[in-house]
């Protein structure tokens, strides 16, 4: 299958490109490089042994999208492109709504104009808000989101649902991610945030490599075993493989499906610190700060539906996630600037 991967030079996108290519799919990458490096493309070629077509474009640019669809004729889209930081979204709500929702609306419009109605959408566990049940199943009602990033994902899920109801020719899979960490086993691609990391693992690895002085832990007074926030961390390669498995749900007439992609295990912030220290032998100094706006106490998945219907389940444990994240960061202390 020929697949357009929006945001394909990013963290999750690049790992998914590797897994798609290894399964024999033809991949085209679209990315505006606002949160990614062009150097990823060289490394993807090293890993896959293929030159993967790349277009530097923004999903809000309808003319550019139209040109790409007319030239490449993708059969399906895996849609990663979007702003993704919870804390930043609280500070920059307009930018998040304009980029994530406006961009996706433009993409969907160009897709249907070019008779491409197969899409896998990158959603998030944030749509559950402060979840009504733990572990979270897909039957758990979507909650009141606690930040604009979560609202963009929730609203886009509704848009995709409404479009599929109105036009059954759409085949749609919504994947609700939990917290991806880790990196490719080669150490050649990994998470490379710009500026101060918003996510836990790259913050830890940058402390470990000496780029940051200490980890800031946001809140130790949550209703959790050690007071710090509990999340479901999933290896990014396992997450990428989930997208490959989800392609089989894009058969004509398959409608709309929703799956959680997680491990079903909740780890606190301090659990992750301890596991990283044990996996690497490196001590991570940290300080407790006030809670961060938009955060909740606990969030972890039931991924039984994905196992039953897609034949997918996470294979890597927390130790492998920490080891692989460190292999990437230690080999690339300044990220893709090493090239």
């Amino acid at each position: 299958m020929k697949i357009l991967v929006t945001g394909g030079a990013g963290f999750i996108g690049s790992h998914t490109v590797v897994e798609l290519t290894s399964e024999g799919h033809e991949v085209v990458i679209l990315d505006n490089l606002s949160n990614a490096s062009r150097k990823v493309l060289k490394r993807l070629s090293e890993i896959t042994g293929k030159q993967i077509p790349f277009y530097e474009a923004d999903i809000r640019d309808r003319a550019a999208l139209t040109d790409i669809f007319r030239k490449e004729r993708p059969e399906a889209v895996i849609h990663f492109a979007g702003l993704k930081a919870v804390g930043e979204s609280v500070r920059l709500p307009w930018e998040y709504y304009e980029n994530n929702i406006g961009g996706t609306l433009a993409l969907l419009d160009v897709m249907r104009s070019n008779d491409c109605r197969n899409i896998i959408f990158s959603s998030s566990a944030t749509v559950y808000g402060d979840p009504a049940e733990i572990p979270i199943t897909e039957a758990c009602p979507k909650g009141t989101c606690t930040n604009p990033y979560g609202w963009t994902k929730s609203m886009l899920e509704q848009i995709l649902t409404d479009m599929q109801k109105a036009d059954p020719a759409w085949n749609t899979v919504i994947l609700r991610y939990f917290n991806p960490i880790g990196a490719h086993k080669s150490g050649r691609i990994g998470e490379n945030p710009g500026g101060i990391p918003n996510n836990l693992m790259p913050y830890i690895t940058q402390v470990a490599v000496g780029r940051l002085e200490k980890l800031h832990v946001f809140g130790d007074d949550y209703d959790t075993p050690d007071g710090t926030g509990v999340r479901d961390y999933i290896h990014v390669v396992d997450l990428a493989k989930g997208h490959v498995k989800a392609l089989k749900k894009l058969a004509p007439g398959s409608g709309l499906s929703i799956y959680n992609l997680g491990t079903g295990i909740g780890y606190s912030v301090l659990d992750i610190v301890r596991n990283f220290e044990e996996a690497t032998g490196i001590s991570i100094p940290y300080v407790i700060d006030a809670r961060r706006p938009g955060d909740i106490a606990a969030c972890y998945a039931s991924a039984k539906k994905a196992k039953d219907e897609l034949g997918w389940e996470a294979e890597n444990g927390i130790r492998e996630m920490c080891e692989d994240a460190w292999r990437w960061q230690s080999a690339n202390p300044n990220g893709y600037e090493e090239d």
Side-chain angles (χ1 to χ4, degrees):
M1 183 181 288
K2 191 170 191 178
I3 302 161
L4 176 66
V5 181
T6 72
F11 177 43
I12 304 172
S14 60
H15 287 80
T16 302
V17 166
V18 170
E19 298 304 320
L20 290 167
T21 304
S22 72
E23 291 294 319
H25 296 287
E26 190 176 353
V27 178
V28 177
I29 297 173
L30 180 155
D31 202 300
N32 68 0
L33 302 180
S34 65
N35 193 34
S37 170
R38 186 179 296 275
K39 296 169 184 176
V40 172
L41 305 170
K42 174 186 172 184
R43 298 192 181 196
L44 286 174
S45 295
E46 291 175 8
I47 294 168
T48 65
K50 296 184 178 182
Q51 290 293 327
I52 299 167
F54 168 72
Y55 294 88
E56 184 176 352
D58 193 295
I59 55 171
R60 294 169 292 184
D61 186 342
R62 289 171 184 260
L65 288 177
T66 298
D67 288 345
I68 293 166
F69 272 84
R70 288 177 178 172
K71 181 177 180 181
E72 298 291 347
R73 295 293 174 189
E75 300 165 73
V77 173
I78 300 181
H79 180 31
F80 295 107
L83 301 175
K84 63 178 184 176
V86 168
E88 183 182 66
S89 77
V90 175
R91 292 189 294 105
L92 302 172
W94 185 90
E95 286 78 2
Y96 270 69
Y97 290 120
E98 193 271 340
N99 184 87
N100 292 7
I101 295 178
T104 302
L105 288 172
L107 173 66
L108 293 171
D109 193 25
V110 173
M111 285 178 67
R112 66 181 180 177
S113 296
N114 288 273
D115 199 27
C116 177
R117 289 176 169 82
N118 298 310
I119 186 167
I120 296 174
F121 175 60
S122 163
S123 191
S124 167
T126 57
V127 302
Y128 294 113
D130 199 345
E133 61 184 26
I134 298 283
I136 303 167
T137 70
E138 292 84 353
C140 179
K142 287 167 66 176
T144 299
C145 295
T146 58
N147 55 77
Y149 165 73
W151 278 120
T152 67
K153 294 297 186 182
S154 183
M155 291 174 185
L156 287 169
E157 284 195 9
Q158 189 62 52
I159 289 167
L160 289 165
T161 300
D162 291 342
M163 288 187 68
Q164 198 282 324
K165 285 180 180 178
D167 181 0
W170 282 95
N171 305 298
T172 303
V173 178
I174 293 171
L175 299 179
R176 292 172 176 166
Y177 308 162
F178 283 69
N179 292 64
I181 59 175
H184 192 263
K185 297 289 183 184
S186 66
R188 295 296 286 158
I189 56 174
E191 191 166 9
N192 184 44
I196 302 297
N198 288 292
N199 296 328
L200 176 61
M201 185 55 76
Y203 208 116
I204 289 175
T205 60
Q206 288 191 20
V207 171
V209 83
R211 286 177 60 181
L212 296 170
E213 179 185 359
K214 57 192 173 186
L215 172 67
H216 291 262
V217 178
F218 298 103
D220 65 348
D221 57 350
Y222 288 106
D223 185 17
T224 61
D226 64 17
T228 64
V230 169
R231 298 291 183 270
D232 187 333
Y233 294 90
I234 177 174
H235 198 295
V236 66
V237 172
D238 286 331
L239 184 63
K241 290 178 178 178
H243 293 76
V244 179
K245 294 283 190 180
L247 285 172
K248 70 181 185 180
K249 296 297 289 186
L250 294 182
S254 60
L256 183 142
S257 303
I258 299 174
Y259 298 98
N260 289 335
L261 295 185
T263 65
I265 302 171
Y267 290 98
S268 74
V269 174
L270 296 184
D271 286 334
I272 298 298
V273 171
R274 284 190 289 269
N275 274 278
F276 184 88
E277 290 178 335
E278 291 170 5
T280 65
I282 298 170
S283 178
I284 302 298
Y286 65 86
V287 62
I288 304 296
D289 288 342
R291 293 187 185 191
R292 186 169 54 182
D295 280 346
I296 60 174
C299 180
Y300 56 93
S302 166
K304 183 177 185 299
K305 184 180 178 185
K307 181 178 180 180
D308 292 345
E309 295 188 13
L310 302 179
W312 174 90
E313 61 182 328
E315 299 173 358
N316 292 280
I318 194 65
R319 184 59 61 88
E320 289 87 357
M321 299 183 215
C322 292
E323 290 172 349
D324 292 343
W326 178 236
R327 183 181 300 111
W328 149 256
Q329 189 73 81
S330 59
N332 303 272
N334 295 306
Y336 292 109
E337 294 177 17
E338 301 304 311
D339 284 351

